[in-house]
Amino acid sequence: MWHSHSTVSPVVEAWTTYRTGNAGQWTPRDLLAAKGTTKVSVVIPARDEQATIGAIVATIRRDLVEQVPLVDEILVVDSRSTDATAAVARRAGARVVSQDRMTSGLPRMEGKGDALWAGLAASSGDVVAFVDGDLHEFSSHFVTGLLGPLLTDPGVEFVKGFYHRPLNGPVSVETDGGGRVTELCARPLLNLFFPELSGFVQPLAGEYAGRRSTLERIPFVSGYGVEIGMLIDLVDLVGLDALAQVDLGERKHRHQGTEALGRMSAQIMTTAWSRMHRRGLATEALPPSSLLTQFRRGGQDALPNLDRQIAVTDIVVTERPPLASLDLSVAA
Ligand SMILES: O=c1ccn([C@@H]2O[C@H](COP(=O)(O)OP(=O)(O)O[C@H]3O[C@H](CO)[C@@H](O)[C@H](O)[C@H]3O)[C@@H](O)[C@H]2O)c(=O)[nH]1
Ligand SMILES: O=C(O)[C@H](O)COP(=O)(O)O
């Protein structure tokens, strides 16, 4: 049964009213006028995104660099791609940096969070917007929406996107079926243990923007824990009032399979646990196990009594330290 919105805490209700915007509020020209000397970077992490990265970069370049010079830098972080992502992105007009090149000399870390950290280090904007590289039907209002509150309100440090999320199956589309990890894992976790963040419509959205001065003060969790870790670390660092969210309409992306989403969920839970521990909500001294056992139907290695093969993944979550605490000139 749905309860009325009056059961939401008054703080969250007030924040949701006061700090929620809509991308339609700002045109590129409005933001150009508001930006003054602020330098803006767009950073796109990409692993094997040759099918989508070109259109995303080209759209930002056409609308927000050539037509209206709002964005000063488009940076694609090549996250160990084995396809033509880097070449396609470069051809579309992005500067491309390699995650591994940016972090050489530092301990090797995995996944998206490490790519974002490398992208923040490699970019130079005072305001940095992050956009996923697997979006279909991308439109530049994704970027202007994220930049709006940052360029027009000095009290805002970070903006998270939200949207409707269809689940595009092979034969049908479930209108609001997307965001499975969000609904089954991240949202319950946040509501139970970090309720001040329950007003975020899409806490795992890969589209968000922040001021460099703030982003450089938080650690970046490796892999897919990066978004939930960032949200919790930001609310602890700058408070809820400095965080905002913006409606970006609808978002379509490449869906991962259920098994991969299970591994994503495990990383998100481990990250949430580390923040619960920091807040004294989890008193156990030992961190959770990092091994995830999953079962795969059939296959050559199927165990006869299971008719499934066992797949064990180490979902270990590590962290890059706040950039402000590090002299990166050694690694660059
Ligand atoms: O090792 C990696 C894995 C992914 N990516 C890129 O990160 C973006 C998002 O990754 P994706 O695998 O498409 O994630 P989703 O399944 O869409 O997961 C959702 O939930 C994740 C957990 O919060 C977020 O990181 C994502 O941004 C969000 O879209 C894409 O551009 C990827 O190419 C990397 O750069 N390196
Ligand atoms: O953000 C999420 O919850 C995961 O990326 C899964 O999204 P999907 O269900 O739309 O594939």
Side-chain angles (χ1 to χ4, degrees):
M1 172 187 158
W2 288 91
H3 290 273
S4 96
H5 71 286
S6 62
T7 53
V8 173
S9 95
V11 172
V12 169
E13 188 167 345
W15 175 81
T16 309
T17 310
Y18 172 57
R19 284 298 193 205
T20 299
N22 186 299
Q25 283 172 253
W26 307 278
T27 66
R29 291 209 180 276
D30 294 339
L31 295 180
L32 182 64
K35 118 174 175 140
T37 56
T38 306
K39 205 172 163 194
V40 174
S41 299
V42 175
V43 171
I44 310 172
R47 184 187 59 186
D48 295 336
E49 305 293 7
Q50 66 179 13
T52 44
I53 195 74
I56 297 171
V57 170
T59 302
I60 299 172
R61 195 170 173 79
R62 183 194 64 210
D63 297 352
L64 305 179
V65 177
E66 287 160 5
Q67 284 181 12
V68 179
L70 177 66
V71 168
D72 300 283
E73 174 181 46
I74 307 172
L75 185 77
V76 168
V77 184
D78 181 18
S79 180
R80 303 178 187 145
S81 297
T82 54
D83 69 1
T85 292
V88 173
R90 216 172 274 125
R91 215 177 304 131
R95 180 159 84 89
V96 178
V97 295
S98 141
Q99 171 180 341
D100 286 333
R101 187 86 61 78
M102 276 308 296
T103 55
S104 75
L106 300 173
R108 182 185 162 96
M109 290 186 192
E110 301 301 321
K112 184 189 175 190
D114 190 43
L116 293 180
W117 188 81
L120 183 61
S123 64
S124 56
D126 309 303
V127 165
V128 182
F130 296 96
V131 175
D132 278 353
D134 67 328
L135 305 186
H136 301 291
E137 300 170 31
F138 178 81
S139 155
S140 52
H141 76 269
F142 270 56
V143 175
T144 49
L146 297 172
L147 294 177
L150 287 160
L151 295 178
T152 58
D153 184 343
V156 173
E157 295 292 327
F158 180 84
V159 179
K160 188 100 192 167
F162 72 92
Y163 22 60
H164 294 298
R165 301 188 60 167
L167 182 64
N168 286 297
V171 287
S172 64
V173 177
E174 208 183 313
T175 314
D176 292 311
R180 293 161 288 169
V181 174
T182 306
E183 303 307 335
L184 300 175
C185 173
R187 195 183 308 288
L189 264 176
L190 288 172
N191 275 263
L192 266 50
F193 300 110
F194 305 92
E196 72 275 30
L197 293 171
S198 58
F200 279 94
V201 183
Q202 290 296 334
L204 300 188
E207 293 69 34
Y208 41 86
R211 299 190 195 282
R212 170 175 300 278
S213 50
T214 293
L215 293 171
E216 288 195 347
R217 289 169 66 207
I218 54 168
F220 275 55
V221 172
S222 65
Y224 290 115
V226 63
E227 276 81 23
I228 199 162
M230 188 181 293
L231 219 44
I232 299 167
D233 293 350
L234 284 168
V235 81
D236 284 351
L237 182 70
V238 297
L240 187 61
D241 190 48
L243 311 182
Q245 63 181 349
V246 167
D247 190 345
L248 303 176
E250 184 171 81
R251 176 218 207 214
K252 295 181 183 160
H253 74 138
R254 172 187 28 76
H255 299 290
Q256 302 201 50
T258 309
E259 196 181 285
L261 295 184
R263 294 190 288 274
M264 179 188 285
S265 298
Q267 293 187 334
I268 287 168
M269 285 187 224
T270 302
T271 306
W273 182 90
S274 66
R275 272 58 187 167
M276 285 161 64
H277 188 255
R278 192 176 70 200
R279 285 187 177 191
L281 290 168
T283 49
E284 175 56 63
L286 289 174
S289 161
S290 71
L291 294 184
L292 178 68
T293 300
Q294 296 177 302
F295 298 92
R296 225 169 264 165
R297 179 194 281 255
Q300 267 190 336
D301 301 324
L303 299 176
N305 54 336
L306 285 175
D307 186 28
R308 288 158 178 81
Q309 46 182 318
I310 289 180
V312 179
T313 311
D314 188 348
I315 55 89
V316 68
V317 169
T318 47
E319 292 188 14
R320 293 287 187 202
L323 271 169
S325 71
L326 207 77
D327 178 7
L328 256 192
S329 53
V330 198

